[in-house]
Amino acid sequence: MSQISFSTLKLKPGLLSNLSTLGYETMTPIQAQSLPYILSGKDVIAQGKTGSGKTAAFGLGLLENLNVKRFRIQTLVLCPTRELADQVATEIRRLARGIHNIKVLTLCGGVPFGPQVGSLEHGAHIVVGTPGRVDEHLRKGTLRLDDLNTFVLDEADRMLEMGFQEAVEDIVGLMPEQRQTLLFSATFSEEIKTIAQRIMLKPIIVKVEFKHDDLSIQQHFYKVDDNDQRLTAVRLLLLQHRPESTVIFCNTKKDAQEVADELHHFGFSVMALHGDLDQKDRDQTLVRFANKSVSILVATDVAARGLDIDALDAVINYHIARDPEIHLHRIGRTGRAGSKGIACSLISDKESHKVIALGNYLDMAIEGESLPAINFLDKPIFAPQMATLQIEGGKKQKMRPGDILGALTGDSGVAGKQVGKINVFDNWAYVAVQQEVTQVALKKLGQGKLKGRSFRVRLIRA
Ligand code: AMP
Protein backbone atom coordinates (compact mmCIF):
# COMPACT_ATOMS: atom_id res chain seq x y z
CA MET A 1 0.00 0.00 0.00
CA SER A 2 1.11 3.55 -0.64
CA GLN A 3 2.47 5.42 2.36
CA ILE A 4 2.29 8.93 1.05
CA SER A 5 2.05 11.77 3.54
CA PHE A 6 -0.52 14.55 3.16
CA SER A 7 2.33 17.04 3.43
CA THR A 8 3.28 16.24 -0.18
CA LEU A 9 0.09 18.02 -1.24
CA LYS A 10 -0.47 21.71 -1.77
CA LEU A 11 -2.97 22.22 1.03
CA LYS A 12 -3.71 25.29 3.16
CA PRO A 13 -1.53 25.07 6.31
CA GLY A 14 -4.65 25.06 8.52
CA LEU A 15 -6.04 22.03 6.74
CA LEU A 16 -2.74 20.20 6.87
CA SER A 17 -2.05 20.72 10.55
CA ASN A 18 -5.59 19.67 11.44
CA LEU A 19 -5.13 16.36 9.59
CA SER A 20 -2.46 15.23 12.00
CA THR A 21 -4.66 16.13 14.97
CA LEU A 22 -7.31 13.89 13.39
CA GLY A 23 -4.73 11.12 13.21
CA TYR A 24 -4.65 11.10 9.41
CA GLU A 25 -0.94 10.61 8.75
CA THR A 26 -0.76 8.99 5.35
CA MET A 27 -3.23 9.01 2.51
CA THR A 28 -5.50 6.09 1.78
CA PRO A 29 -5.11 4.75 -1.79
CA ILE A 30 -8.12 6.65 -3.12
CA GLN A 31 -6.83 9.87 -1.55
CA ALA A 32 -3.30 9.35 -2.90
CA GLN A 33 -4.63 8.79 -6.38
CA SER A 34 -7.35 11.40 -6.57
CA LEU A 35 -6.17 14.34 -4.45
CA PRO A 36 -3.40 15.56 -6.76
CA TYR A 37 -5.95 15.86 -9.60
CA ILE A 38 -8.68 17.24 -7.37
CA LEU A 39 -6.31 19.93 -6.05
CA SER A 40 -5.23 20.86 -9.55
CA GLY A 41 -8.85 21.69 -10.35
CA LYS A 42 -9.65 18.77 -12.64
CA ASP A 43 -12.97 16.98 -12.82
CA VAL A 44 -12.44 13.56 -11.27
CA ILE A 45 -14.39 10.32 -11.25
CA ALA A 46 -13.22 8.08 -8.45
CA GLN A 47 -14.29 4.58 -7.77
CA GLY A 48 -14.32 4.02 -4.05
CA LYS A 49 -16.52 2.49 -1.43
CA THR A 50 -17.56 3.79 1.96
CA GLY A 51 -14.61 3.23 4.25
CA SER A 52 -12.02 4.00 1.58
CA GLY A 53 -11.52 7.55 2.81
CA LYS A 54 -13.40 9.08 -0.11
CA THR A 55 -15.11 11.75 2.00
CA ALA A 56 -11.78 13.23 3.01
CA ALA A 57 -10.64 13.04 -0.63
CA PHE A 58 -13.39 15.33 -1.88
CA GLY A 59 -13.69 17.15 1.47
CA LEU A 60 -10.11 18.38 1.30
CA GLY A 61 -10.59 19.32 -2.35
CA LEU A 62 -13.65 21.42 -1.72
CA LEU A 63 -12.20 23.06 1.40
CA GLU A 64 -9.08 24.00 -0.54
CA ASN A 65 -11.28 25.63 -3.20
CA LEU A 66 -13.21 27.63 -0.65
CA ASN A 67 -12.91 31.35 -0.16
CA VAL A 68 -14.01 31.68 3.47
CA LYS A 69 -14.37 35.45 3.30
CA ARG A 70 -17.00 35.12 0.63
CA PHE A 71 -20.08 34.01 2.54
CA ARG A 72 -21.89 32.35 -0.39
CA ILE A 73 -22.66 28.77 -1.25
CA GLN A 74 -19.55 27.65 -3.08
CA THR A 75 -19.93 23.90 -2.77
CA LEU A 76 -22.76 21.43 -3.14
CA VAL A 77 -22.38 17.78 -2.15
CA LEU A 78 -25.25 15.50 -3.14
CA CYS A 79 -25.68 12.21 -1.29
CA PRO A 80 -28.30 9.51 -1.85
CA THR A 81 -29.55 9.35 1.74
CA ARG A 82 -29.96 11.61 4.71
CA GLU A 83 -27.82 9.30 6.79
CA LEU A 84 -24.93 9.63 4.39
CA ALA A 85 -25.42 13.39 4.03
CA ASP A 86 -25.17 13.73 7.81
CA GLN A 87 -21.99 11.64 7.89
CA VAL A 88 -20.45 13.66 5.08
CA ALA A 89 -21.33 16.98 6.72
CA THR A 90 -19.77 15.78 9.98
CA GLU A 91 -16.57 14.71 8.23
CA ILE A 92 -16.33 18.02 6.35
CA ARG A 93 -16.75 19.93 9.62
CA ARG A 94 -13.98 17.85 11.18
CA LEU A 95 -11.67 18.48 8.24
CA ALA A 96 -12.51 22.19 8.34
CA ARG A 97 -11.56 22.67 11.98
CA GLY A 98 -8.27 24.27 10.99
CA ILE A 99 -10.03 27.07 9.09
CA HIS A 100 -12.21 29.52 10.98
CA ASN A 101 -15.91 30.08 10.49
CA ILE A 102 -16.81 27.60 7.82
CA LYS A 103 -20.52 27.03 7.67
CA VAL A 104 -21.79 23.65 6.46
CA LEU A 105 -25.53 23.21 6.02
CA THR A 106 -27.44 19.98 5.39
CA LEU A 107 -30.58 20.00 3.25
CA CYS A 108 -32.25 16.62 3.33
CA GLY A 109 -35.71 15.29 2.72
CA GLY A 110 -37.75 13.75 5.51
CA VAL A 111 -37.35 16.77 7.78
CA PRO A 112 -39.40 20.01 7.83
CA PHE A 113 -38.77 22.44 5.00
CA GLY A 114 -39.35 25.71 6.85
CA PRO A 115 -36.35 25.64 9.21
CA GLN A 116 -34.10 24.89 6.25
CA VAL A 117 -35.32 28.08 4.57
CA GLY A 118 -34.38 29.98 7.73
CA SER A 119 -30.90 28.42 7.76
CA LEU A 120 -30.41 29.27 4.10
CA GLU A 121 -31.30 32.88 4.82
CA HIS A 122 -28.49 32.94 7.37
CA GLY A 123 -26.09 31.76 4.67
CA ALA A 124 -23.55 28.95 4.28
CA HIS A 125 -20.38 28.07 2.42
CA ILE A 126 -21.14 24.40 1.84
CA VAL A 127 -24.41 22.59 1.33
CA VAL A 128 -24.66 18.81 1.75
CA GLY A 129 -28.01 17.36 0.79
CA THR A 130 -30.18 14.79 -0.90
CA PRO A 131 -31.26 15.43 -4.50
CA GLY A 132 -35.04 15.66 -3.96
CA ARG A 133 -34.87 18.31 -1.25
CA VAL A 134 -32.09 20.33 -2.89
CA ASP A 135 -34.09 20.35 -6.12
CA GLU A 136 -37.15 21.54 -4.21
CA HIS A 137 -35.24 24.45 -2.67
CA LEU A 138 -33.92 25.41 -6.07
CA ARG A 139 -37.35 25.32 -7.64
CA LYS A 140 -38.81 27.43 -4.86
CA GLY A 141 -35.96 29.90 -5.12
CA THR A 142 -34.88 29.40 -1.51
CA LEU A 143 -31.49 28.16 -2.72
CA ARG A 144 -29.33 29.62 -5.48
CA LEU A 145 -26.14 28.19 -6.84
CA ASP A 146 -24.74 31.20 -8.73
CA ASP A 147 -21.54 31.23 -6.68
CA LEU A 148 -20.91 27.50 -6.80
CA ASN A 149 -17.41 26.39 -7.75
CA THR A 150 -17.36 22.74 -6.62
CA PHE A 151 -20.00 20.09 -7.10
CA VAL A 152 -19.68 16.59 -5.63
CA LEU A 153 -21.86 13.61 -6.41
CA ASP A 154 -21.28 11.05 -3.72
CA GLU A 155 -22.30 7.40 -4.13
CA ALA A 156 -23.53 8.24 -7.61
CA ASP A 157 -24.43 4.62 -8.28
CA ARG A 158 -26.80 4.48 -5.33
CA MET A 159 -28.24 7.81 -6.32
CA LEU A 160 -29.19 6.46 -9.75
CA GLU A 161 -30.43 3.23 -8.19
CA MET A 162 -32.79 5.26 -6.04
CA GLY A 163 -34.24 7.06 -9.02
CA PHE A 164 -32.61 10.43 -8.47
CA GLN A 165 -31.20 10.88 -11.96
CA GLU A 166 -33.74 13.51 -13.01
CA ALA A 167 -33.41 15.50 -9.81
CA VAL A 168 -29.62 15.48 -10.23
CA GLU A 169 -29.89 16.69 -13.80
CA ASP A 170 -32.32 19.44 -12.82
CA ILE A 171 -29.90 20.60 -10.15
CA VAL A 172 -26.89 20.54 -12.46
CA GLY A 173 -28.87 22.62 -14.95
CA LEU A 174 -29.06 25.40 -12.36
CA MET A 175 -25.37 25.68 -11.51
CA PRO A 176 -22.59 27.59 -13.24
CA GLU A 177 -20.99 25.70 -16.11
CA GLN A 178 -17.61 26.73 -14.92
CA ARG A 179 -17.07 24.59 -11.88
CA GLN A 180 -15.21 21.52 -10.70
CA THR A 181 -17.25 18.33 -10.62
CA LEU A 182 -16.22 15.30 -8.60
CA LEU A 183 -18.06 12.02 -8.84
CA PHE A 184 -17.63 9.14 -6.42
CA SER A 185 -19.15 5.75 -6.96
CA ALA A 186 -18.51 2.24 -5.67
CA THR A 187 -19.34 0.76 -9.06
CA PHE A 188 -18.91 2.11 -12.50
CA SER A 189 -21.87 1.19 -14.71
CA GLU A 190 -22.84 2.41 -18.16
CA GLU A 191 -25.41 4.70 -16.54
CA ILE A 192 -22.71 6.36 -14.47
CA LYS A 193 -20.57 6.87 -17.55
CA THR A 194 -23.51 8.45 -19.36
CA ILE A 195 -24.31 10.90 -16.59
CA ALA A 196 -20.60 11.70 -16.19
CA GLN A 197 -20.41 12.58 -19.87
CA ARG A 198 -23.29 14.97 -19.46
CA ILE A 199 -22.18 16.81 -16.36
CA MET A 200 -18.38 16.62 -16.33
CA LEU A 201 -15.60 18.10 -18.38
CA LYS A 202 -12.78 15.78 -19.47
CA PRO A 203 -12.85 13.86 -16.20
CA ILE A 204 -9.83 11.99 -14.92
CA ILE A 205 -10.78 8.48 -13.88
CA VAL A 206 -9.23 7.10 -10.74
CA LYS A 207 -9.67 3.50 -9.85
CA VAL A 208 -8.17 2.00 -6.78
CA GLU A 209 -6.79 -1.32 -7.77
CA PHE A 210 -8.33 -4.24 -6.11
CA LYS A 211 -5.82 -6.11 -3.95
CA HIS A 212 -6.63 -9.38 -2.31
CA ASP A 213 -4.42 -8.69 0.68
CA ASP A 214 -6.52 -5.78 1.83
CA LEU A 215 -9.81 -7.56 1.53
CA SER A 216 -11.78 -8.11 4.65
CA ILE A 217 -13.13 -11.31 3.19
CA GLN A 218 -12.82 -14.69 4.77
CA GLN A 219 -12.38 -17.29 2.07
CA HIS A 220 -13.42 -20.86 2.64
CA PHE A 221 -13.06 -23.79 0.31
CA TYR A 222 -15.18 -26.91 0.78
CA LYS A 223 -14.56 -30.26 -0.80
CA VAL A 224 -17.52 -31.87 -2.52
CA ASP A 225 -17.87 -35.13 -4.47
CA ASP A 226 -20.61 -34.47 -7.00
CA ASN A 227 -23.43 -32.08 -7.95
CA ASP A 228 -25.91 -33.49 -5.46
CA GLN A 229 -23.46 -32.77 -2.73
CA ARG A 230 -22.95 -29.25 -4.06
CA LEU A 231 -26.58 -28.43 -3.50
CA THR A 232 -26.56 -29.87 0.00
CA ALA A 233 -23.40 -27.90 0.68
CA VAL A 234 -25.10 -24.69 -0.42
CA ARG A 235 -28.07 -25.38 1.87
CA LEU A 236 -25.77 -26.14 4.79
CA LEU A 237 -23.76 -22.97 4.31
CA LEU A 238 -26.87 -20.83 3.99
CA LEU A 239 -28.45 -22.35 7.07
CA GLN A 240 -25.27 -22.02 9.07
CA HIS A 241 -24.44 -18.41 8.17
CA ARG A 242 -28.01 -17.17 7.52
CA PRO A 243 -26.76 -14.18 5.47
CA GLU A 244 -29.14 -11.39 4.61
CA SER A 245 -27.85 -11.14 1.03
CA THR A 246 -26.01 -13.89 -0.84
CA VAL A 247 -24.99 -14.31 -4.44
CA ILE A 248 -24.36 -17.85 -5.64
CA PHE A 249 -22.22 -17.90 -8.77
CA CYS A 250 -22.66 -20.63 -11.37
CA ASN A 251 -20.63 -21.14 -14.50
CA THR A 252 -23.66 -21.89 -16.71
CA LYS A 253 -27.22 -20.61 -17.13
CA LYS A 254 -28.53 -24.11 -16.74
CA ASP A 255 -26.88 -24.57 -13.37
CA ALA A 256 -28.06 -21.14 -12.23
CA GLN A 257 -31.68 -21.95 -13.01
CA GLU A 258 -31.46 -25.41 -11.47
CA VAL A 259 -29.85 -24.23 -8.26
CA ALA A 260 -32.44 -21.46 -7.93
CA ASP A 261 -35.30 -23.91 -8.55
CA GLU A 262 -33.96 -26.39 -6.03
CA LEU A 263 -33.42 -23.78 -3.33
CA HIS A 264 -36.88 -22.40 -4.00
CA HIS A 265 -38.24 -25.90 -3.58
CA PHE A 266 -36.62 -26.05 -0.16
CA GLY A 267 -38.30 -22.79 0.80
CA PHE A 268 -35.46 -20.29 0.42
CA SER A 269 -36.10 -16.76 -0.82
CA VAL A 270 -34.20 -17.01 -4.09
CA MET A 271 -34.17 -15.84 -7.70
CA ALA A 272 -32.06 -16.68 -10.73
CA LEU A 273 -30.28 -14.00 -12.75
CA HIS A 274 -29.07 -15.04 -16.15
CA GLY A 275 -28.97 -13.82 -19.71
CA ASP A 276 -32.35 -15.30 -20.66
CA LEU A 277 -34.36 -12.84 -18.59
CA ASP A 278 -36.03 -9.96 -20.39
CA GLN A 279 -35.21 -6.44 -19.23
CA LYS A 280 -38.28 -6.04 -17.04
CA ASP A 281 -37.69 -9.32 -15.21
CA ARG A 282 -34.03 -8.56 -14.84
CA ASP A 283 -34.74 -5.11 -13.40
CA GLN A 284 -37.30 -6.55 -11.05
CA THR A 285 -34.98 -9.32 -9.89
CA LEU A 286 -32.16 -6.86 -9.23
CA VAL A 287 -34.46 -4.46 -7.42
CA ARG A 288 -35.85 -7.18 -5.18
CA PHE A 289 -32.43 -8.50 -4.33
CA ALA A 290 -30.89 -5.08 -3.74
CA ASN A 291 -33.77 -3.94 -1.56
CA LYS A 292 -33.43 -7.08 0.54
CA SER A 293 -36.80 -8.60 -0.18
CA VAL A 294 -35.07 -11.56 -1.81
CA SER A 295 -32.17 -13.09 0.09
CA ILE A 296 -30.40 -15.16 -2.53
CA LEU A 297 -29.50 -14.47 -6.11
CA VAL A 298 -28.14 -17.28 -8.26
CA ALA A 299 -26.22 -15.71 -11.11
CA THR A 300 -23.87 -16.33 -13.99
CA ASP A 301 -20.84 -14.06 -14.26
CA VAL A 302 -22.10 -12.33 -17.36
CA ALA A 303 -25.52 -11.64 -15.87
CA ALA A 304 -23.98 -10.33 -12.67
CA ARG A 305 -21.86 -7.80 -14.53
CA GLY A 306 -24.11 -4.84 -13.87
CA LEU A 307 -24.85 -5.87 -10.32
CA ASP A 308 -24.38 -2.75 -8.23
CA ILE A 309 -24.83 -4.13 -4.79
CA ASP A 310 -22.54 -2.95 -2.10
CA ALA A 311 -23.74 -4.96 0.84
CA LEU A 312 -23.31 -8.63 0.14
CA ASP A 313 -22.82 -10.73 3.22
CA ALA A 314 -21.83 -13.87 1.36
CA VAL A 315 -20.74 -15.12 -2.01
CA ILE A 316 -20.90 -18.82 -2.78
CA ASN A 317 -19.10 -20.24 -5.77
CA TYR A 318 -21.16 -23.23 -6.80
CA HIS A 319 -18.36 -24.11 -9.16
CA ILE A 320 -15.02 -22.43 -8.97
CA ALA A 321 -14.62 -19.73 -11.66
CA ARG A 322 -12.82 -20.61 -14.88
CA ASP A 323 -10.26 -17.93 -14.30
CA PRO A 324 -8.65 -16.60 -11.09
CA GLU A 325 -9.45 -13.02 -12.02
CA ILE A 326 -13.13 -13.85 -12.27
CA HIS A 327 -12.88 -15.50 -8.87
CA LEU A 328 -11.47 -12.30 -7.38
CA HIS A 329 -14.13 -10.26 -9.06
CA ARG A 330 -16.84 -12.51 -7.63
CA ILE A 331 -15.58 -12.48 -4.07
CA GLY A 332 -14.79 -8.76 -4.21
CA ARG A 333 -18.52 -8.17 -4.09
CA THR A 334 -18.65 -9.22 -0.49
CA GLY A 335 -16.94 -7.71 2.55
CA ARG A 336 -17.69 -4.06 2.71
CA ALA A 337 -14.94 -2.12 4.39
CA GLY A 338 -15.30 -2.42 8.11
CA SER A 339 -17.54 -5.46 8.04
CA LYS A 340 -16.57 -8.95 7.11
CA GLY A 341 -18.09 -10.85 4.27
CA ILE A 342 -17.60 -14.51 3.61
CA ALA A 343 -16.76 -16.21 0.37
CA CYS A 344 -17.32 -19.96 0.11
CA SER A 345 -16.16 -21.98 -2.87
CA LEU A 346 -17.13 -25.56 -3.53
CA ILE A 347 -14.33 -27.58 -5.07
CA SER A 348 -14.07 -31.13 -6.32
CA ASP A 349 -11.08 -33.24 -7.30
CA LYS A 350 -11.93 -32.71 -10.96
CA GLU A 351 -11.23 -29.01 -10.53
CA SER A 352 -7.81 -29.47 -8.93
CA HIS A 353 -5.97 -27.72 -11.80
CA LYS A 354 -8.15 -24.63 -11.36
CA VAL A 355 -7.66 -24.72 -7.60
CA ILE A 356 -3.87 -24.84 -8.03
CA ALA A 357 -3.97 -21.93 -10.48
CA LEU A 358 -6.11 -19.95 -8.07
CA GLY A 359 -3.81 -20.73 -5.14
CA ASN A 360 -0.84 -19.46 -7.14
CA TYR A 361 -2.69 -16.35 -8.18
CA LEU A 362 -3.84 -15.53 -4.66
CA ASP A 363 -0.54 -16.61 -3.20
CA MET A 364 -2.25 -18.78 -0.65
CA ALA A 365 -2.47 -22.47 0.14
CA ILE A 366 -5.98 -23.68 -0.59
CA GLU A 367 -7.11 -26.49 1.65
CA GLY A 368 -10.57 -28.03 1.41
CA GLU A 369 -12.46 -27.73 4.72
CA SER A 370 -15.21 -30.03 5.83
CA LEU A 371 -18.78 -28.85 5.43
CA PRO A 372 -20.94 -27.65 8.34
CA ALA A 373 -22.56 -30.50 10.32
CA ILE A 374 -25.45 -32.16 8.50
CA ASN A 375 -27.94 -31.28 11.24
CA PHE A 376 -27.85 -27.66 10.05
CA LEU A 377 -30.35 -28.92 7.48
CA ASP A 378 -32.89 -29.14 10.30
CA LYS A 379 -32.63 -25.45 11.08
CA PRO A 380 -35.56 -23.29 10.00
CA ILE A 381 -35.26 -21.49 6.68
CA PHE A 382 -34.75 -17.75 7.10
CA ALA A 383 -36.91 -15.12 5.41
CA PRO A 384 -36.00 -11.66 4.14
CA GLN A 385 -36.86 -8.66 6.30
CA MET A 386 -38.30 -6.60 3.51
CA ALA A 387 -41.17 -6.99 1.03
CA THR A 388 -41.45 -5.28 -2.36
CA LEU A 389 -44.54 -3.40 -3.47
CA GLN A 390 -45.00 -2.58 -7.12
CA ILE A 391 -46.75 0.65 -8.08
CA GLU A 392 -48.23 0.92 -11.58
CA GLY A 393 -46.87 4.40 -12.13
CA GLY A 394 -43.37 5.66 -12.89
CA LYS A 395 -41.32 8.49 -14.32
CA LYS A 396 -43.72 8.97 -17.22
CA GLN A 397 -46.43 9.67 -14.68
CA LYS A 398 -44.01 12.05 -12.93
CA MET A 399 -43.69 9.74 -9.96
CA ARG A 400 -40.73 10.62 -7.77
CA PRO A 401 -39.28 8.67 -4.84
CA GLY A 402 -40.34 11.48 -2.52
CA ASP A 403 -44.01 11.09 -3.57
CA ILE A 404 -43.93 7.43 -2.61
CA LEU A 405 -42.14 8.06 0.66
CA GLY A 406 -44.56 10.85 1.47
CA ALA A 407 -47.64 8.72 0.74
CA LEU A 408 -46.31 5.88 2.87
CA THR A 409 -45.26 7.90 5.86
CA GLY A 410 -48.20 10.32 5.98
CA ASP A 411 -50.92 10.19 8.69
CA SER A 412 -51.01 6.84 10.50
CA GLY A 413 -48.69 5.45 7.88
CA VAL A 414 -45.45 3.56 8.34
CA ALA A 415 -42.31 5.04 9.91
CA GLY A 416 -39.63 6.33 7.57
CA LYS A 417 -37.16 3.78 8.86
CA GLN A 418 -39.53 0.97 7.86
CA VAL A 419 -39.22 2.03 4.23
CA GLY A 420 -36.32 0.66 2.23
CA LYS A 421 -35.13 1.35 -1.29
CA ILE A 422 -37.34 3.05 -3.81
CA ASN A 423 -36.78 2.43 -7.51
CA VAL A 424 -38.70 4.38 -10.11
CA PHE A 425 -38.73 3.09 -13.69
CA ASP A 426 -40.52 4.59 -16.69
CA ASN A 427 -43.95 3.11 -16.07
CA TRP A 428 -43.75 1.52 -12.67
CA ALA A 429 -41.98 1.86 -9.38
CA TYR A 430 -40.94 -0.42 -6.56
CA VAL A 431 -40.70 0.32 -2.89
CA ALA A 432 -39.39 -1.97 -0.19
CA VAL A 433 -41.03 -1.97 3.22
CA GLN A 434 -40.43 -4.09 6.28
CA GLN A 435 -42.41 -7.33 6.13
CA GLU A 436 -44.47 -6.53 9.21
CA VAL A 437 -45.86 -3.31 7.74
CA THR A 438 -46.69 -4.72 4.31
CA GLN A 439 -50.46 -4.52 4.80
CA VAL A 440 -50.39 -0.99 6.21
CA ALA A 441 -48.16 0.10 3.34
CA LEU A 442 -50.40 -1.50 0.71
CA LYS A 443 -53.38 0.27 2.20
CA LYS A 444 -51.65 3.65 2.39
CA LEU A 445 -50.44 3.49 -1.19
CA GLY A 446 -53.72 2.11 -2.47
CA GLN A 447 -55.70 5.02 -1.05
CA GLY A 448 -55.12 7.24 -4.03
CA LYS A 449 -52.87 9.77 -2.35
CA LEU A 450 -50.08 9.44 -4.90
CA LYS A 451 -49.84 12.56 -7.05
CA GLY A 452 -53.50 13.08 -6.35
CA ARG A 453 -54.63 9.97 -8.19
CA SER A 454 -54.79 6.28 -7.56
CA PHE A 455 -52.31 3.82 -8.94
CA ARG A 456 -52.60 0.09 -8.73
CA VAL A 457 -50.29 -1.27 -6.07
CA ARG A 458 -49.49 -4.91 -5.44
CA LEU A 459 -47.24 -7.00 -3.31
CA ILE A 460 -44.72 -9.00 -5.30
CA ARG A 461 -44.87 -12.46 -3.88
CA ALA A 462 -41.83 -14.59 -3.41
P1 AMP B 1 -15.06 7.28 4.26
O1 AMP B 1 -14.68 6.28 3.21
O2 AMP B 1 -14.94 8.67 3.75
O3 AMP B 1 -16.41 6.96 4.85
O4 AMP B 1 -13.97 7.21 5.45
C1 AMP B 1 -13.80 6.11 6.28
C2 AMP B 1 -13.12 6.46 7.59
O5 AMP B 1 -11.72 6.62 7.43
C3 AMP B 1 -13.61 7.72 8.25
O6 AMP B 1 -13.89 7.41 9.60
C4 AMP B 1 -12.46 8.69 8.18
O7 AMP B 1 -12.44 9.52 9.30
C5 AMP B 1 -11.25 7.79 8.10
N1 AMP B 1 -10.15 8.32 7.27
C6 AMP B 1 -10.24 8.94 6.09
N2 AMP B 1 -9.02 9.25 5.60
C7 AMP B 1 -8.13 8.79 6.48
C8 AMP B 1 -6.68 8.77 6.53
N3 AMP B 1 -5.94 9.28 5.56
N4 AMP B 1 -6.09 8.20 7.60
C9 AMP B 1 -6.84 7.67 8.58
N5 AMP B 1 -8.18 7.64 8.60
C10 AMP B 1 -8.83 8.18 7.57
Side-chain angles (χ1 to χ4, degrees):
M1 280 290 95
S2 55
Q3 289 290 322
I4 308 171
S5 156
F6 283 102
S7 58
T8 57
L9 299 171
K10 244 183 84 219
L11 282 172
K12 291 173 185 159
L15 282 177
L16 206 52
S17 58
N18 179 50
L19 284 172
S20 47
T21 66
L22 291 176
Y24 295 9
E25 301 298 342
T26 53
M27 291 188 254
T28 65
I30 198 166
Q31 292 163 354
Q33 292 194 37
S34 66
L35 267 166
Y37 295 115
I38 294 178
L39 295 174
S40 70
K42 297 255 190 301
D43 280 6
V44 176
I45 300 180
Q47 196 169 4
K49 297 189 191 191
T50 297
S52 59
K54 66 186 167 72
T55 318
F58 65 72
L60 289 170
L62 62 89
L63 288 169
E64 185 64 33
N65 272 353
L66 206 69
N67 177 355
V68 190
K69 293 200 187 100
R70 200 170 154 71
F71 195 36
R72 294 284 162 78
I73 293 164
Q74 297 167 49
T75 301
L76 172 67
V77 182
L78 287 182
C79 301
T81 62
R82 183 165 88 208
E83 186 196 14
L84 184 68
D86 285 338
Q87 281 170 21
V88 166
T90 306
E91 176 79 354
I92 294 176
R93 289 189 188 108
R94 271 157 46 91
L95 293 168
R97 271 184 211 155
I99 319 175
H100 290 297
N101 295 324
I102 291 197
K103 184 94 187 4
V104 183
L105 185 65
T106 55
L107 295 179
C108 299
V111 294
F113 194 81
Q116 294 181 345
V117 177
S119 305
L120 280 164
E121 280 165 3
H122 283 107
H125 293 100
I126 299 166
V127 166
V128 183
T130 50
R133 183 56 63 94
V134 168
D135 196 21
E136 200 177 339
H137 278 289
L138 285 168
R139 276 184 285 130
K140 294 199 169 138
T142 42
L143 169 68
R144 295 187 63 95
L145 298 175
D146 306 323
D147 294 275
L148 188 102
N149 59 32
T150 317
F151 171 50
V152 182
L153 258 184
D154 193 14
E155 301 208 355
D157 47 353
R158 281 186 71 196
M159 205 114 62
L160 298 186
E161 217 175 271
M162 293 173 74
F164 281 135
Q165 177 156 354
E166 256 175 287
V168 171
E169 289 188 14
D170 282 355
I171 296 167
V172 172
L174 293 169
M175 54 178 72
E177 279 188 15
Q178 196 159 357
R179 59 166 196 267
Q180 183 178 23
T181 304
L182 308 173
L183 182 152
F184 287 75
S185 182
T187 53
F188 202 39
S189 62
E190 283 304 314
E191 279 171 306
I192 300 275
K193 286 184 202 155
T194 313
I195 193 158
Q197 260 170 5
R198 255 183 270 161
I199 67 171
M200 302 179 86
L201 191 68
K202 296 194 189 140
I204 306 276
I205 298 176
V206 169
K207 214 170 157 176
V208 176
E209 280 311 320
F210 183 72
K211 281 243 176 81
H212 63 88
D213 57 4
D214 56 52
L215 285 176
S216 57
I217 300 174
Q218 310 164 23
Q219 286 209 63
H220 297 277
F221 294 86
Y222 297 97
K223 270 208 129 129
V224 291
D225 301 329
D226 53 29
N227 277 354
D228 281 349
Q229 211 192 359
R230 275 183 209 274
L231 194 76
T232 309
V234 169
R235 288 169 57 209
L236 284 171
L237 291 167
L238 289 171
L239 289 168
Q240 181 189 30
H241 295 289
R242 313 180 82 74
E244 197 174 11
S245 299
T246 304
V247 173
I248 301 175
F249 281 102
C250 291
N251 289 350
T252 65
K253 276 191 270 197
K254 187 165 161 283
D255 277 347
Q257 192 61 55
E258 276 175 19
V259 171
D261 290 346
E262 286 288 335
L263 290 175
H264 183 73
H265 165 78
F266 282 107
F268 287 96
S269 156
V270 57
M271 296 193 75
L273 184 74
H274 52 63
D276 288 349
L277 298 181
D278 66 24
Q279 192 61 39
K280 184 176 177 188
D281 287 341
R282 181 182 159 85
D283 287 343
Q284 196 186 90
T285 303
L286 289 175
V287 161
R288 291 173 64 193
F289 182 65
N291 73 18
K292 299 191 188 295
S293 62
V294 165
S295 328
I296 304 160
L297 196 65
V298 190
T300 56
D301 292 295
V302 175
R305 213 171 264 165
L307 196 67
D308 288 354
I309 290 159
D310 58 6
L312 285 184
D313 304 300
V315 164
I316 299 178
N317 294 313
Y318 188 74
H319 279 111
I320 200 161
R322 292 191 184 97
D323 174 317
E325 256 186 66
I326 296 179
H327 178 87
L328 257 195
H329 198 68
R330 287 178 175 183
I331 67 165
R333 294 168 180 278
T334 174
R336 289 166 288 168
S339 72
K340 281 208 175 6
I342 61 160
C344 303
S345 305
L346 307 179
I347 52 177
S348 71
D349 284 343
K350 273 198 215 149
E351 294 161 300
S352 55
H353 57 288
K354 281 197 230 163
V355 175
I356 293 168
L358 182 62
N360 289 338
Y361 185 80
L362 297 177
D363 198 16
M364 67 188 275
I366 297 179
E367 306 255 359
E369 298 173 34
S370 45
L371 284 164
I374 201 79
N375 57 8
F376 271 107
L377 293 183
D378 303 330
K379 292 244 172 201
I381 304 285
F382 50 95
Q385 288 188 3
M386 308 300 282
T388 299
L389 308 184
Q390 181 177 1
I391 301 161
E392 298 287 324
K395 287 183 192 155
K396 294 213 167 127
Q397 291 75 35
K398 305 255 184 294
M399 185 80 74
R400 289 167 184 258
D403 302 322
I404 300 172
L405 191 65
L408 277 168
T409 55
D411 285 349
S412 67
V414 304
K417 61 177 192 297
Q418 293 172 313
V419 182
K421 287 197 174 167
I422 298 177
N423 299 85
V424 183
F425 290 83
D426 279 352
N427 290 305
W428 51 82
Y430 301 101
V431 55
V433 295
Q434 287 191 350
Q435 288 277 3
E436 60 269 23
V437 296
T438 309
Q439 290 310 322
V440 186
L442 267 174
K443 214 165 143 198
K444 282 297 283 180
L445 289 178
Q447 276 170 350
K449 292 260 172 66
L450 273 168
K451 309 232 70 132
R453 54 176 274 209
S454 65
F455 288 96
R456 258 177 40 140
V457 183
R458 67 181 188 99
L459 168 69
I460 301 183
R461 302 212 176 263

